[in-house]
């Protein structure tokens, strides 16, 4: 029933599935007081946190409407909107949604489990987006033993059970993803609030270890901001897979996808995979403040029918990417050397591809919709990641503030000010607002830094700032003396994925999609490529046979030295003691320091 649970709200959704093997969710939206001129319903074109037009309405298969037992005409009037004929009395709009997208941004349903975001399945009722809504989540047919995991407010449903839920408005409704199936649930507490790490999918993870490490990372973020946002409880909805990775933040939960072999299985050391999983957890949890509450004015409120532009995505994703790894070392979950290795990897990701010389962080943010989120073979030459370079700029900024203020201020102070001034009050950060607040909080002239790092394309100098905290940064070739062609092959294949600008490959005429056949008459497989290059030296020439579509080409290539591919950060044991003290204050490794780790 539309008003199950006795919650007679003006808008009520019921979601179920009569044949889960068809991957179809069936949804009914009952509107007590429909628009007298004819009610419109619409699905969002994008999901907050992921800046790509996805047109969720394309997954709607059928749509009908009824009033007082009689059919009401429904007409689609644009890609995302349905128009119902006028009717007198409560209107029921029924539709089915195909759900077989294994993604934190999509909806999924099979005989084993289900998942959806509100934007995938709940239509907005035009003109009534601010009305409170009720939701009945029914078990898919034959799945009575499943449980439900969502941070949505129960309105009669018991913990982890199907039944009635509620949201204050449409904005809240679509910010509580729902997982259903069979779970393992790891409970812990952060600053007095219940937290749950929900694991679906096959795994044999050491849940005690997960509880210890994840709670320590969460507590670290809570300590940085000084308080948790107001929320009843927090859920990490985690789908464990053989292969896959992703995360999406929400106001009191996050949706994660991770690989089975990334979860701890009894070993004491933090493996590379586990470090990646903890980094993901840390990243999405930081968004609880920074993105979900401190957000660009352009997203306040969200307008989900079309693109919304901001030059600040680097502030949100870049700063978050800086703190996600930093929190791992500050909370004591990883060692300093591991943290420095992560920074080295980020440096390689940004500076070993040419795009950082072409696109600024501000432009990368602005064009996220059509560039970062729509990669092509030319992306490495034209685009810089506002995540990765943004994280490095945040690192450089933090070290600069610490150095110029003689340790009195840091980026931590800026984050707390962002929370106090914007996030805690739901005020959007205007364009340029972060830069202005940095200057205000630190009383430093940071304009030249931002002009170069955010609006320019010159390489970022981290050597000096790192030396100031007793860390030596070196760039070196993967294998000194080796040559390179300057192209990237697709995984496990001899097909060219990308050709870097100004490279030997570009000069030779190699193009994305070319299939490499032979180098000086020797067969090329995806695996032996670096072996084949070994005998050559910079300036040597070779004949490269490739297929472009179905035509065989012979290209003359002249090799270059392989560029630096590795950035190594190492603690300088001989650095003066004040450098070590600054490093400990920054990494929170000093006992009783300003950023001392808080282990929950
Ligand atoms: Zn993020």
């Amino acid at each position: 029933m539309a008003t199950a649970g006795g919650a007679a709200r003006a808008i009520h959704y019921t979601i179920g599935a009569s044949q889960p093997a068809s991957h179809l969710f069936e949804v009914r939206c009952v509107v007590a007081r429909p628009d007298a001129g004819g009610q419109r319903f619409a699905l969002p074109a994008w999901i907050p946190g992921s800046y790509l037009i996805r047109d969720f309405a394309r997954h709607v298969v059928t749509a009908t409407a009824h009033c007082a037992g009689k059919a009401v005409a429904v007409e689609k009037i644009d890609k995302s909107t349905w128009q119902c004929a006028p009717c007198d009395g409560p209107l029921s709009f029924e539709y089915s949604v195909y759900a077989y997208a294994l993604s934190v941004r999509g909806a999924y349903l099979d005989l084993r489990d289900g998942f959806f975001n509100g934007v995938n399945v709940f239509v907005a009722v035009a003109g009534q987006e601010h009305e409170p809504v009720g939701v009945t989540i029914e078990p898919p047919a034959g799945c009575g033993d499943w449980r439900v995991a969502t941070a949505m407010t129960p309105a009669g449903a018991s913990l982890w059970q199907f039944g009635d839920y509620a949201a204050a408005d449409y904005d809240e409704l679509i910010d509580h993803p729902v997982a259903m199936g069979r779970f393992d649930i790891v409970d812990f507490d952060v600053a007095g609030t219940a937290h749950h790490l929900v694991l679906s999918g096959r795994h044999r993870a050491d849940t005690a270890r997960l509880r210890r490490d994840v709670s320590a990372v969460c507590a670290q973020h809570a300590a940085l901001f000084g308080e948790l946002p107001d929320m009843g409880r927090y859920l990490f909805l985690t789908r464990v897979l053989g292969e896959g990775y992703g995360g999406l933040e929400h106001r009191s939960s996050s949706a994660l996808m991770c690989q089975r072999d990334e979860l701890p299985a009894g070993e004491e050391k933090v493996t590379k995979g586990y470090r990646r999983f903890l980094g993901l957890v840390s990243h999405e949890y930081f968004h609880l403040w920074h993105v979900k509450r401190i957000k660009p004015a352009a997203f306040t409120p969200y307008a989900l029918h079309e693109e919304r532009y901001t030059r600040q995505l680097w502030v949100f994703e870049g700063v978050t990417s800086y703190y996600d790894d930093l929190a791992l070392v500050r909370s004591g979950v990883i060692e300093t050397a591991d943290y420095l290795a992560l920074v080295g990897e980020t440096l390689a990701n940004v500076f070993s591809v040419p795009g950082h010389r072409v696109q600024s962080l501000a432009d990368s943010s602005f064009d996220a919709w059509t560039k970062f989120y729509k990669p092509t073979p030319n992306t490495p030459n034209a685009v810089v990641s506002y995540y990765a370079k943004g994280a490095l700029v945040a690192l450089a900024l933090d070290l600069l503030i610490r150095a110029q203020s003689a340790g009195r201020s840091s980026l931590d102070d800026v984050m707390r000010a962002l929370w106090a001034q914007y996030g805690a009050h739901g005020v959007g950060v205007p364009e340029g607002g972060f830069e202005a607040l940095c200057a205000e909080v630190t009383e430093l002239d940071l304009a030249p830094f931002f002009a170069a790092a955010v609006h320019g394309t010159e390489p970022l100098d981290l050597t000096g700032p790192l030396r100031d905290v007793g860390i030596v940064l070196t760039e070196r070739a993967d294998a000194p003396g080796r040559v390179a062609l300057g192209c990237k092959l697709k995984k496990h294949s001899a097909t060219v994925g990308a050709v870097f600008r100004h490279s030997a490959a570009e000069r030779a005429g190699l193009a994305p999609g070319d299939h490499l056949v032979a180098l000086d008459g020797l067969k090329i497989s995806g695996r032996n490529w670096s072996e084949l290059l070994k005998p050559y030296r910079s300036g040597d020439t070779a004949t490269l046979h490739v297929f472009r579509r179905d035509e065989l080409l012979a290209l003359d290539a002249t090799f270059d030295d392989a560029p630096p591919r590795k950035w190594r950060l190492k603690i300088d044991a001989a650095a003066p003691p004040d450098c070590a003290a600054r490093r400990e204050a920054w990494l929170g490794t000093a006992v009783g320091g300003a950023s001392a780790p808080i282990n929950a």
Side-chain angles (χ1 to χ4, degrees), residues 300-319:
T300 314
Y302 286 112
L304 298 174
H305 62 288
E306 62 181 14
E307 296 89 340
R308 277 293 181 265
Y309 295 98
T310 172
R311 289 185 168 77
Q312 299 191 87
L313 289 184
W314 75 271
V315 172
F316 292 90
E317 291 301 344
V319 169

Side-chain angles (χ1 to χ4, degrees), residues 249 283-284 287 291 316-317 320 387:
E249 66 277 9
H283 183 98
E284 302 308 339
H287 279 330
V291 164
F316 292 90
E317 291 301 344
T320 300
Y387 284 82

Side-chain angles (χ1 to χ4, degrees), residues 479-599:
R482 288 285 190 86
V483 296
L485 206 51
C487 64
K488 199 173 159 199
L489 301 188
K490 290 185 179 171
K491 208 175 174 185
H492 307 310
S493 89
T495 302
V496 176
V499 173
F500 294 147
R501 276 294 275 142
H502 309 301
S503 65
E506 186 185 69
R507 290 196 305 273
L510 203 66
D514 285 355
H515 185 75
L516 305 182
V517 179
L519 182 68
D520 277 340
L522 294 178
K523 182 178 171 178
I524 300 168
S525 74
R527 297 179 189 284
N528 70 351
W529 180 235
S530 55
E531 280 301 307
L532 284 176
L533 292 182
K534 251 186 191 171
Y536 296 92
R537 290 292 166 262
S538 181
D540 288 354
T541 59
T543 301
L544 190 61
H545 280 93
V546 306
F547 270 113
R548 180 163 306 163
R549 298 176 290 277
D550 62 348
E551 297 174 28
L552 184 67
L553 309 180
L555 307 174
D556 294 323
T558 303
F559 293 107
D560 294 330
D561 275 322
R565 305 289 294 192
K566 277 206 171 144
W567 278 257
R568 193 153 174 259
L569 290 82
K570 202 166 174 281
I571 289 177
D572 180 6
D578 55 323
C579 290
R582 284 194 286 272
R583 182 178 64 245
E584 286 166 3
W586 164 49
L587 295 179
T589 43
V591 177
S595 303
I598 295 166
N599 286 297

Side-chain angles (χ1 to χ4, degrees), residues 222-239:
L224 174 81
F225 285 101
E227 62 179 337
L228 277 184
D230 186 22
M231 58 181 182
R233 59 197 186 116
Y234 186 90
L235 272 70
F236 291 102
L237 303 176
T238 313
R239 178 183 279 273

